[in-house]
Amino acid sequence: MDFLELAVNRYSERFFDTRPVEQEKLDRILEAGRVVPTACNYQPQRFYVIRSEEGLEKLKSVTAFHYNVPLMILVCYDLRTVWRNPGDRYYRNYNSGEQDASIAATTMMYEAEELGVHTIWIRGFDSKTVADTYGLPEYMIPVMMLGLGYPNEKAHANAWHYKRNPIEEFVTEL
Ligand SMILES: Cc1cc2nc3c(=O)[nH]c(=O)nc-3n(C[C@H](O)[C@H](O)[C@H](O)COP(=O)(O)O)c2cc1C
């Protein structure tokens, strides 16, 4: 499948089977998140793999959007290594952590898709609750969670997946 076809076909999965994701596939997915470009190549992205019974159970107390995933990757960035631009006049104390973590998350999402593993991008959580629940150090900033697994018999793309605005709304030639 070519990349654009993969991107069009990917949808947010919300119906997961209990079948675990194989270690070899998880390794490839994490590798995809490792090799991404980051600001100044500082590589502040950090991945917490949540798949133990205890870790997955805790998910239920940090997000309503856990969808009983068998595997979750909590994507964070490390404030100690992130690139900063204190001189940015739009964003006070700008750092590139959200961008660095998001490019890693996005790349992992598409690698998973390529391997036949479905995903859901989750941001519906309180960062402090996540940090406290999983005992993250204070310099570790949660950005998103990527739920991964195989689809169950109810799996389908919801209506939002088919609602995309026309290209003219996104593109302006200057
Ligand atoms: C930044 C971001 C945050 C999201 N947070 C959630 C979430 O917390 N819960 C959820 O069910 N879906 C979440 N989604 C999935 C979006 O709702 C979904 O990508 C969008 O509706 C388009 O549907 P599709 O991914 O099936 O094409 C999130 C997606 C993004 C990119």
Side-chain angles (χ1 to χ4, degrees), residues 10-14 63 65 67 120-125 144 157-158 160-162 164:
R10 180 220 54 87
Y11 69 86
S12 293
E13 188 57 77
R14 296 183 174 89
T63 179
F65 306 104
Y67 300 116
I120 174 78
W121 186 299
I122 298 161
R123 177 57 240 193
F125 57 76
M144 60 79 73
N158 75 14
W160 283 355
H161 175 68
Y162 300 101
R164 292 295 196 266

Side-chain angles (χ1 to χ4, degrees), residues 15-151:
F15 301 92
F16 289 94
D17 199 71
T18 52
R19 184 178 148 202
V21 174
E22 299 84 344
Q23 185 63 49
E24 315 79 72
K25 289 193 179 181
L26 175 59
D27 290 343
R28 282 187 65 108
I29 291 163
L30 294 168
E31 176 67 1
R34 183 181 76 89
V35 299
V36 297
T38 53
C40 260
N41 204 25
Y42 284 176
Q43 306 174 49
Q45 71 273 32
R46 298 290 180 269
F47 313 131
Y48 292 90
V49 174
I50 303 171
R51 57 180 161 173
S52 68
E53 208 176 302
E54 190 195 347
L56 293 171
E57 191 57 36
K58 284 183 185 169
L59 276 179
K60 296 177 185 163
S61 66
V62 302
T63 179
F65 306 104
H66 55 81
Y67 300 116
N68 294 311
V69 293
L71 170 64
M72 191 75 95
I73 301 176
L74 166 61
V75 180
C76 300
Y77 69 89
D78 187 327
L79 261 181
R80 298 171 307 172
T81 54
V82 76
W83 178 76
R84 295 165 192 276
N85 183 1
D88 190 291
R89 293 190 294 163
Y90 275 1
Y91 302 95
R92 274 168 57 112
N93 300 317
Y94 180 82
N95 81 53
S96 63
E98 288 253 340
Q99 290 194 48
D100 295 329
S102 293
I103 197 165
T106 305
T107 307
M108 291 195 288
M109 180 179 78
Y110 286 114
E111 174 61 18
E113 187 72 21
E114 219 261 324
L115 296 169
V117 175
H118 288 202
T119 60
I120 174 78
W121 186 299
I122 298 161
R123 177 57 240 193
F125 57 76
D126 169 54
S127 307
K128 176 88 168 82
T129 304
V130 169
D132 289 348
T133 302
Y134 289 103
L136 305 183
E138 82 284 356
Y139 50 80
M140 200 56 74
I141 308 300
V143 173
M144 60 79 73
M145 293 192 218
L146 190 66
L148 301 110
Y150 292 101

